[in-house]
Amino acid sequence: MSDKRISSKTLFYKGVLNNNYPYTERKYYPVERSTTDSKGFIQDLFFLTKKLNQIALNIWLSDNNVEISPQSIHTREVLQTQAIRILNTYQFKKLTVRGGYVQDITNYGKGNFIKPSRTAIDRFLIRAEHEWTFAKLTAHIGTEAAHVIAHVDGYDKTTIAENRLDIFAWLRYQISLRFLTTLNIRQALIKSFDPPLAPALGLEYQLAKFVRLTGNLSRSYRIPTMNERYWSELGNPDLKPEDGFNKELGINWNHSKNDFSFSSSLNAYHNLINNWVYWNPETGYRVQNLQQVLAKGMEFSNQIQYRHGQISSGLTAQYAFTHSSQQKAYDNFSADVIGKQLIYIPKHNFTANLFYQTLLLTKGEFFRKHGMPFRATLQWQANSRRYYTFDNSKWFDGQQLFNVIIENGLHTKHVEGKIFFQVNNVFDELYLNSKRNAMPGRNYAINLVININK
């Protein structure tokens, strides 16, 4: 083995998705044409010294463009988002130091897009963390500082700067072979706010050979974003921070027998949040605090898998019940929304995936020699009605979607990759994700991913 090692990963990507609907209305809902173009570049460099210290440089660039109603200059809307992510990491034994720069640019305009509204946010980050181990106790302590500069046409002030400091600690204690505890503590410091200490306690207990119990208690605290505070007309500089208390309990079961493996999990949660920050569509998307919101529910998942030799198949299924509602309201005239489901959140959600895959195809000596992987997946998604008024008097009906994905591997001496063929919304179901716009009907996608190993 050489004293030094260098590893590099370079990735270019580009994607185009055009919804050229031949109609403007589908089942009485308006449908708008749109075009989407995305491209990007990723460069990762890793250098391992002879003392096994690691230096890393990560650069990520992305550029995305979305046009709505591109066929007419009078109705055309353009949204362009660009991002730069640069991260430098130095790891010396159990000390890790990171420095980063993040820039997010958003340009939005209508018509000819000559003078779009521009948002540019720069973030300068530095983070240091160290890990210690004492017998059964592992301690992870660190700090992160951020300097944020926002240049936004839509703010009342064109340039706003903000500093933030976070101090955090993570402790892990193995009480016994069956009992594990974790404790996370975070303290944020930011001007004009007084964040409290935010602890999170996690418990994990091996009840039986195949059964594990989990539990979490945590306090949450979220400072409103710059957009939520400073956006002209829609923003609110007097917003209160979100402050909540979260509880979760879960049970997990795993078992294997012969060529079969089984797993199930059941989790229940109860999150009570004061001053939930909300862009309210009923008031032209002006930001406001909902006095108190309760999000409670349960999630159940089940998986069965069969594997014999190079053949594998299985079924995964999930069900989620979510009840999110206002418990208190600042507005005395809002009594009719107390206890009602928040808009656009379905109470019931189902997903399932049925798959078959193999590493060896039966045709051709080349496939048998190199082990070309193949996978076919059938996806099913369903959800109950979603309300779009706070009093739950109006709603979108529930719907079901079926997708089919076929993957096939590519392999030569220095090239590995996959080709994906996907059919989304196989039965051309009408479904909506907002009040006035329908999502695509049946649509198709082909993706090619190639990795060159040298």
Side-chain angles (χ1 to χ4, degrees):
M1 184 179 93
S2 63
D3 292 336
K4 301 177 181 178
R5 286 187 175 182
I6 297 177
S7 177
S8 175
K9 173 186 174 182
T10 304
L11 172 66
F12 295 91
Y13 66 88
K14 181 175 177 61
V16 176
L17 177 62
N18 296 331
N19 293 326
N20 296 320
Y21 300 115
Y23 40 78
T24 58
E25 186 179 279
R26 185 164 173 259
K27 295 184 180 180
Y28 306 107
Y29 284 97
V31 175
E32 296 179 320
R33 293 184 182 181
S34 65
T35 64
T36 302
D37 177 270
S38 61
K39 54 182 177 291
F41 167 76
I42 296 175
Q43 177 62 66
D44 296 326
L45 290 170
F46 303 92
F47 177 70
L48 190 67
T49 69
K50 59 183 180 181
K51 294 184 179 180
L52 300 182
N53 301 325
Q54 181 176 280
I55 301 173
L57 176 64
N58 308 97
I59 301 173
W60 304 297
L61 309 176
S62 64
D63 188 345
N64 302 289
N65 293 275
V66 177
E67 291 187 39
I68 298 176
S69 298
Q71 73 279 4
S72 172
I73 195 68
H74 303 290
T75 59
R76 179 174 178 250
E77 293 182 63
V78 181
L79 177 65
Q80 180 186 63
T81 57
Q82 299 172 325
I84 298 174
R85 306 279 192 275
I86 300 175
L87 179 66
N88 184 244
T89 304
Y90 180 73
Q91 185 174 342
F92 176 75
K93 294 183 179 179
K94 293 190 177 183
L95 172 66
T96 303
V97 179
R98 294 183 173 91
Y101 169 70
V102 176
Q103 183 184 66
D104 291 295
I105 297 175
T106 302
N107 294 312
Y108 171 78
K110 297 183 178 181
N112 53 23
F113 200 61
I114 294 178
K115 293 183 178 180
S117 174
R118 180 179 175 83
T119 299
I121 298 179
D122 298 296
R123 297 178 179 88
F124 299 88
L125 310 168
I126 185 168
R127 179 186 178 105
E129 48 197 310
H130 196 286
E131 184 178 295
W132 292 269
T133 302
F134 311 95
K136 295 182 179 181
L137 175 66
T138 300
H140 196 98
I141 300 174
T143 183
E144 180 177 288
H147 177 63
V148 183
I149 306 173
H151 310 274
V152 182
D153 294 344
Y155 287 2
D156 292 327
K157 296 181 180 179
T158 56
T159 301
I160 295 176
E162 192 169 81
N163 295 315
R164 177 168 180 164
L165 178 68
D166 287 273
I167 303 170
F168 56 89
W170 173 77
L171 304 175
R172 180 181 185 272
Y173 185 64
Q174 189 79 46
I175 297 176
S176 66
L177 292 177
R178 289 190 171 190
F179 197 10
L180 172 68
T181 62
T182 59
L183 176 64
N184 291 277
I185 302 173
R186 179 176 290 270
Q187 177 65 64
L189 301 172
I190 185 171
K191 187 178 179 181
S192 302
F193 291 93
D194 187 22
L197 195 67
L201 175 65
L203 303 173
E204 190 174 306
Y205 182 70
Q206 195 71 34
L207 181 64
K209 184 177 180 180
F210 305 115
V211 181
R212 180 167 49 91
L213 300 178
T214 59
N216 290 281
L217 294 173
S218 65
R219 181 175 185 177
S220 61
Y221 184 87
R222 190 182 78 88
I223 295 171
T225 66
M226 285 186 169
N227 281 353
E228 291 167 343
R229 283 179 280 160
Y230 301 123
W231 199 270
S232 180
E233 296 183 5
L234 300 182
N236 182 0
D238 298 322
L239 283 174
K240 300 177 181 179
E242 293 179 356
D243 191 354
F245 186 62
N246 312 313
K247 303 175 286 292
E248 184 177 351
L249 287 174
I251 182 169
N252 301 274
W253 176 76
N254 294 277
H255 182 59
S256 298
K257 185 175 182 180
N258 299 326
D259 295 330
F260 291 89
S261 62
F262 310 88
S263 67
S264 296
S265 67
L266 177 64
N267 292 278
Y269 61 90
H270 184 281
N271 303 331
L272 187 64
I273 301 174
N274 296 313
N275 299 312
W276 181 300
V277 177
Y278 190 70
W279 296 80
N280 191 347
E282 298 297 320
T283 59
Y285 291 95
R286 288 178 173 83
V287 187
Q288 67 181 68
N289 284 118
L290 303 184
Q291 183 175 355
Q292 189 179 78
V293 170
L294 174 62
K296 62 181 180 179
M298 58 168 287
E299 299 171 343
F300 174 72
S301 66
N302 199 3
Q303 176 176 323
I304 179 172
Q305 185 169 344
Y306 168 81
R307 178 162 186 174
H308 183 77
Q310 301 298 317
I311 296 176
S312 176
S313 60
L315 172 66
T316 61
Q318 296 89 29
Y319 164 73
F321 168 76
T322 305
H323 187 271
S324 296
S325 61
Q326 288 193 66
Q327 300 299 296
K328 299 178 182 178
Y330 289 116
D331 186 349
N332 294 328
F333 300 98
S334 300
D336 59 337
V337 305
I338 300 299
K340 301 293 181 64
Q341 183 80 350
L342 292 184
I343 61 176
Y344 299 122
I345 301 178
K347 282 189 177 182
H348 305 280
N349 192 283
F350 306 85
T351 60
N353 290 275
L354 179 65
F355 72 90
Y356 170 85
Q357 66 180 18
T358 177
L359 296 177
L360 295 176
L361 299 182
T362 58
K363 294 183 179 180
E365 181 62 26
F366 178 84
F367 291 165
R368 287 194 294 271
K369 180 179 179 181
H370 295 284
M372 301 290 287
F374 168 83
R375 182 182 175 101
T377 305
L378 174 64
Q379 297 179 338
W380 172 66
Q381 305 170 29
N383 61 260
S384 60
R385 65 173 56 172
R386 289 173 298 154
Y387 299 101
Y388 60 86
T389 57
F390 281 100
D391 62 359
N392 291 178
S393 61
K394 297 181 180 180
W395 62 83
F396 300 131
D397 291 332
Q399 74 276 319
Q400 301 185 66
L401 300 177
F402 288 87
N403 305 320
V404 175
I405 305 172
I406 297 176
E407 311 171 25
N408 200 78
L410 307 172
H411 186 92
T412 63
K413 185 176 181 180
H414 294 298
V415 176
E416 293 180 355
K418 287 184 179 181
I419 184 169
F420 301 80
F421 176 68
Q422 185 165 346
V423 184
N424 300 311
N425 196 1
V426 174
F427 298 106
D428 204 27
E429 176 79 6
L430 173 68
Y431 67 108
L432 300 97
N433 70 340
S434 62
K435 192 171 182 179
R436 298 187 179 184
N437 294 99
M439 295 294 287
R442 186 184 302 110
N443 59 94
Y444 311 88
I446 298 176
N447 299 292
L448 176 64
V449 178
I450 296 178
N451 299 316
I452 300 177
N453 303 315
K454 185 66 174 176

